[in-house]
Amino acid sequence: MSWNALDLARESVRSLSPYVPGKPVEALEREYGITQAVKLASNENPLGAGERARAALRDLGDSLGRYPDGGGFELRGALAALHGVAASQVTLGNGSNDVLDLVARAFAGPGDEIVFSAHAFAVYPIVTAAAGATAVEAPSRDWGHDLDAMAAAIGPRTRVVFVANPNNPTGTWLARGPLEAFVRALPERVIVVIDEAYAEYVAQPEYPDCTAWVARHPNVVATRTFSKVHGLAALRVGYGVSHESVADVLNRVRQPFNVNSLGLAAARAALEDTEHLRRSREVNAAGLAQLEAGARSLGLSWIPSVANFITLDLGRPAAPVYEALLRAGVIVRPVANYGMPRHLRVSVGLAGENARCLEALERALRG
Ligand SMILES: *Cc1c(COP(=O)(O)O)cnc(C)c1O
């Protein structure tokens, strides 16, 4: 047998499948020989970055030879002010995925368990395996998190729990009362990460801002990102808000310059761009309504979503429909890897992009 590094990898990594990102527009155009493709596959902001973030990037040319501010002084200060915490409670990440990874590596290892829900974000099993820990998947309810089932999955070896609120790829969400009861019932030795990547889109009054919980629940880490509503996915900036001692632990395993200078500057500027935030939410609400109306007229059902995507139930294997959409120049996201082979996740785009997706879907379902 030939030499293969897979045989040398830790066992938890050997059984892992790599993360499959949404297909980039350039890849589709190259592979299918088409132009004008539309990508509604990675929950990106269809408006892109705001003016302020773009302007901040233009000023950076002179400092490209320097290392970034490894402590992220300005951005952490601005985030601390935004959330009413101390800067020492903010951990910056190369995307919030980085913060999820830091938590898994810092708090769990071989022999430890990390709990999350079925149909939850695909990065949780990856960071769990990379830490050498054991994943414990709790069953879902109505495609969303079943907090009772998650509580039942907690055992003496549990070190970390990941809760996505809202969840990706289902768009489901948890209300303040049940979520805080769940957190309160957890042993304090369990770190509970509440992943709020889509928080800014959620308009439900019962939706909790868990960055405010760290004062009374020291084991809570709330994570946020600049990749979604702020439209800065390319720059990879996210953060966690936590108890100061949790941030201290994460800082010990963090790569020294995990957030680059462009990301730091653009994120800082984006925080001040309240007009871009407002427009982004407005475009999303209109687009979500458009996609729901379109799905209804196609006779499809969907999982009710509060985020910037909607997951449609095609009532049949989704893979051929996904392929037909690709040939029509529309990229959406298959979610068979989440145990959802009949669903497709569609990110909310601009009105014209949503319309193209619905037209292509209609043809694909008929053909
Ligand atoms: C997109 C997403 C993230 C954020 O990813 P970044 O690394 O910040 O780009 C985190 N959690 C969930 C559930 C997501 O969907």
Side-chain angles (χ1 to χ4, degrees):
M1 256 216 311
S2 63
W3 191 89
N4 188 336
L6 197 56
D7 302 323
L8 308 177
R10 68 191 327 169
E11 196 188 327
S12 61
V13 172
R14 259 181 272 151
S15 53
L16 197 62
S17 315
Y19 181 82
V20 182
K23 190 185 267 296
V25 166
E26 297 73 21
L28 178 74
E29 297 188 343
R30 200 166 56 231
E31 291 163 22
Y32 288 68
I34 54 177
T35 56
Q36 309 284 312
V38 166
K39 183 186 177 202
L40 301 175
S42 298
N43 303 342
E44 294 147 336
N45 185 332
L47 297 173
E51 255 323 301
R52 290 195 182 214
R54 289 173 203 246
L57 290 175
R58 283 183 214 116
D59 296 336
L60 272 170
D62 289 344
S63 57
L64 290 181
R66 303 275 180 205
Y67 275 100
D69 172 9
F73 178 82
E74 289 216 354
L75 180 57
R76 281 170 74 217
L79 291 169
L82 176 69
H83 294 293
V85 297
S88 55
Q89 295 179 265
V90 178
T91 303
L92 299 182
N94 191 252
S96 57
N97 285 341
D98 188 24
V99 182
L100 306 177
D101 187 53
L102 294 176
V103 171
R105 284 196 290 122
F107 289 99
D112 298 330
E113 293 175 352
I114 296 186
V115 171
F116 46 84
S117 172
H119 317 301
F121 188 39
V123 166
Y124 307 153
I126 293 176
V127 299
T128 299
T134 302
V136 176
E137 192 182 274
S140 62
R141 181 164 49 197
D142 297 334
W143 301 109
H145 290 27
D146 179 341
L147 291 174
D148 294 331
M150 290 184 76
I154 308 289
R157 290 169 182 268
T158 308
R159 306 301 300 266
V160 176
V161 181
F162 286 115
V163 177
N165 196 29
N167 184 41
N168 170 21
T170 59
T172 49
W173 65 287
L174 297 161
R176 177 177 294 110
L179 184 54
E180 194 162 13
F182 171 78
V183 169
R184 209 178 291 119
L186 281 178
E188 277 195 347
R189 64 175 166 79
V190 175
I191 300 289
V192 50
V193 178
I194 305 183
D195 177 347
E196 301 185 328
Y198 302 94
E200 298 88 346
Y201 287 111
V202 186
Q204 270 69 11
E206 284 308 306
Y207 176 75
D209 168 2
C210 294
T211 65
W213 289 11
V214 301
R216 55 184 188 274
H217 300 296
N219 54 334
V220 164
V221 181
T223 60
R224 298 279 183 107
T225 181
F226 285 89
S227 301
K228 305 287 158 59
V229 81
H230 292 293
L232 296 177
L235 294 176
R236 317 299 308 123
V237 189
Y239 61 99
V241 176
S242 69
H243 189 272
E244 184 175 356
S245 67
V246 172
D248 170 61
V249 167
L250 300 181
N251 194 41
R252 293 169 192 229
V253 292
R254 182 177 68 87
Q255 295 280 329
F257 304 102
N258 61 334
V259 184
N260 68 62
S261 305
L262 288 82
L264 290 173
R268 172 90 182 75
L271 282 181
E272 279 163 16
D273 204 338
T274 50
E275 173 56 19
H276 187 251
L277 198 61
R278 189 196 61 73
R279 263 191 75 213
S280 300
R281 289 189 181 119
E282 188 177 275
V283 164
N284 188 64
L288 198 54
Q290 180 187 2
L291 289 171
E292 286 173 352
R296 189 178 296 115
S297 71
L298 293 175
L300 297 176
S301 61
W302 62 88
I303 305 170
S305 171
V306 296
N308 67 343
F309 56 86
I310 184 167
T311 297
L312 305 174
D313 183 355
L314 303 186
R316 57 163 117 171
V321 178
Y322 169 67
E323 288 293 333
L325 292 178
L326 286 182
R327 288 192 296 274
V330 176
I331 312 169
V332 298
R333 192 66 159 269
V335 284
N337 57 324
Y338 287 93
M340 304 172 73
R342 303 187 323 175
H343 287 81
L344 284 179
R345 192 193 70 191
V346 180
S347 304
V348 175
L350 301 175
E353 297 173 323
N354 300 331
R356 259 195 70 189
C357 176
L358 290 167
E359 284 157 25
L361 193 55
E362 178 173 21
R363 255 175 279 129
L365 292 172
R366 241 195 290 122

